[in-house]
Amino acid sequence: MVGFNASDINKIIENVIFTHLKTAGYEVTAGQIGKKQTDFVCEKQGERLYIQAAYMIPDDKVRDREFGSLLAIPDNHPKKVVTMDPVTGGTYKGIEHVHLEQFLLSL
């Protein structure tokens, strides 16, 4: 393999998250509200969880895109953005920002 394409790592991260969710017993679909897409809508035993996956959030434009799709969802179910950013944790407008490793260990 020659070179590096950031979209490849995004797809790998999405596949890791999807496989982990399915192994944990979640029903997983994708969601869309208007033009905004949500990577994972997860349901298990009547509980719902929304997840966005991204390699990193290097600037405001990416942050607005990744968190914005979850902010557009009008319910109060948990929402997470999972990344490989070295600094994660905390929330942005009520949405959890979680490192991929921590996410995999938490479900």
Side-chain angles (χ1 to χ4, degrees):
M1 184 156 48
V2 177
F4 172 77
N5 186 344
S7 68
D8 292 342
I9 191 72
N10 284 329
K11 290 174 186 170
I12 291 168
I13 291 169
E14 286 180 358
N15 283 334
V16 167
I17 291 170
F18 176 81
T19 302
H20 185 69
L21 289 165
K22 292 299 284 181
T23 301
Y26 284 90
E27 291 296 322
V28 182
T29 59
Q32 185 167 345
I33 294 180
K35 293 183 179 183
K36 297 184 183 283
Q37 295 182 342
T38 302
D39 292 333
F40 303 106
V41 178
C42 318
E43 295 194 25
K44 179 179 175 181
Q45 299 175 345
E47 297 293 322
R48 182 176 288 170
L49 169 67
Y50 300 100
I51 299 171
Q52 276 298 103
Y55 172 51
M56 298 187 97
I57 301 180
D59 56 39
D60 291 345
K61 181 179 177 183
V62 175
R63 183 199 66 217
D64 292 344
R65 182 183 69 234
E66 297 301 334
F67 284 88
S69 64
L70 296 175
L71 288 168
I73 299 170
D75 65 32
N76 291 321
H77 293 288
K79 299 169 180 78
K80 298 178 187 242
V81 173
V82 180
T83 70
M84 294 290 295
D85 283 310
V87 178
T88 58
T91 62
Y92 174 76
K93 297 186 179 183
I95 298 170
E96 246 186 300
H97 185 191
V98 182
H99 190 276
L100 177 61
E101 181 179 12
Q102 181 61 37
F103 173 77
L104 295 173
L105 293 172
S106 70
L107 285 184

